[in-house]
C-alpha cells in the first residue's frame, strides 16, 4: 500500500510562489509509479495539473498552469514537488498528489480515475 503525504501549502498573495512536496512511502513501492498533482476548489471538480513519469524526464501540464507550475521529483528522497509561481486567486484550492501504475494506467491524461493512490491534501490560498 502506498502512502502519500503532502506539505508546503499556505497563504500567499497574488504573484507569489509556493513549493508543494509529497513524500511517498514505503520507498520500495516508489518504482513503477507515475505521479501527478491535482487540485479541487470548493464546488468544483478535481482538476489535473501536472504529471511526471517514474523515471523522470517526461512531464505533462494542464493549460491552466503551463508556464507557471513545474513538477519534479527526487527519487532518492521519494519526494514529488510542485513549484508554483505567479500564483493567482483562482489557484486557491486543496492540492493533492496522486500515484498511478505507469505501465497499466493512463497517468498522462491527468484524469483522477487513472490514479490509485492519493494524499490527504494541502490547502493553498491566494489572496488578491
Amino acid at each position: 500500500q502506498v502512502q502519500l503525504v503532502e506539505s508546503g501549502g499556505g497563504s500567499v498573495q497574488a504573484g507569489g510562489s509556493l513549493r508543494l512536496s509529497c513524500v511517498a512511502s514505503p520507498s520500495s513501492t516508489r518504482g513503477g509509479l507515475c505521479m501527478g498533482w491535482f487540485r479541487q476548489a470548493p464546488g468544483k471538480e478535481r482538476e489535473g495539473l501536472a504529471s511526471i513519469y517514474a523515471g523522470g524526464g517526461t512531464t505533462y501540464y494542464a493549460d491552466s498552469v503551463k508556464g507557471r507550475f513545474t513538477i519534479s521529483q527526487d527519487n532518492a528522497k521519494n519526494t514529488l514537488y510542485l513549484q508554483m509561481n505567479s500564483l493567482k486567486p483562482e489557484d486557491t484550492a486543496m492540492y493533492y498528489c496522486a500515484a498511478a501504475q505507469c505501465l497499466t494506467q493512463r497517468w498522462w491524461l491527468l484524469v483522477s480515475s487513472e490514479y490509485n493512490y492519493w494524499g490527504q491534501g494541502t490547502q493553498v490560498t491566494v489572496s488578491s
Side-chain angles (χ1 to χ4, degrees):
Q1 184 72 14
V2 178
Q3 292 187 327
L4 304 173
V5 179
E6 303 97 334
S7 62
S11 297
V12 64
Q13 290 191 328
S17 298
L18 283 174
R19 188 177 80 158
L20 306 183
S21 300
C22 172
V23 178
S25 62
S27 59
S28 59
T29 60
R30 182 64 180 85
L33 290 179
C34 289
M35 307 295 293
W37 284 101
F38 291 75
R39 69 185 178 189
Q40 189 166 19
K44 295 188 177 181
E45 293 187 355
R46 188 165 294 188
E47 176 188 12
L49 304 177
S51 60
I52 187 166
Y53 182 65
T58 300
T59 58
Y60 293 90
Y61 293 93
D63 289 342
S64 58
V65 303
K66 198 173 295 182
R68 299 190 299 124
F69 291 9
T70 302
I71 189 171
S72 62
Q73 60 190 8
D74 184 336
N75 288 331
K77 296 182 179 179
N78 296 311
T79 301
L80 177 75
Y81 301 101
L82 185 68
Q83 178 66 45
M84 306 186 295
N85 298 328
S86 302
L87 284 163
K88 305 174 183 179
E90 51 264 43
D91 293 319
T92 295
M94 186 70 78
Y95 283 69
Y96 300 89
C97 72
Q101 298 291 344
C102 296
L103 297 181
T104 59
Q105 293 173 285
R106 298 174 296 175
W107 57 273
W108 60 90
L109 291 180
L110 291 174
V111 175
S112 58
S113 59
E114 295 293 331
Y115 286 76
N116 288 29
Y117 308 102
W118 293 84
Q120 82 290 347
T122 185
Q123 177 69 36
V124 172
T125 303
V126 184
S127 59
S128 58

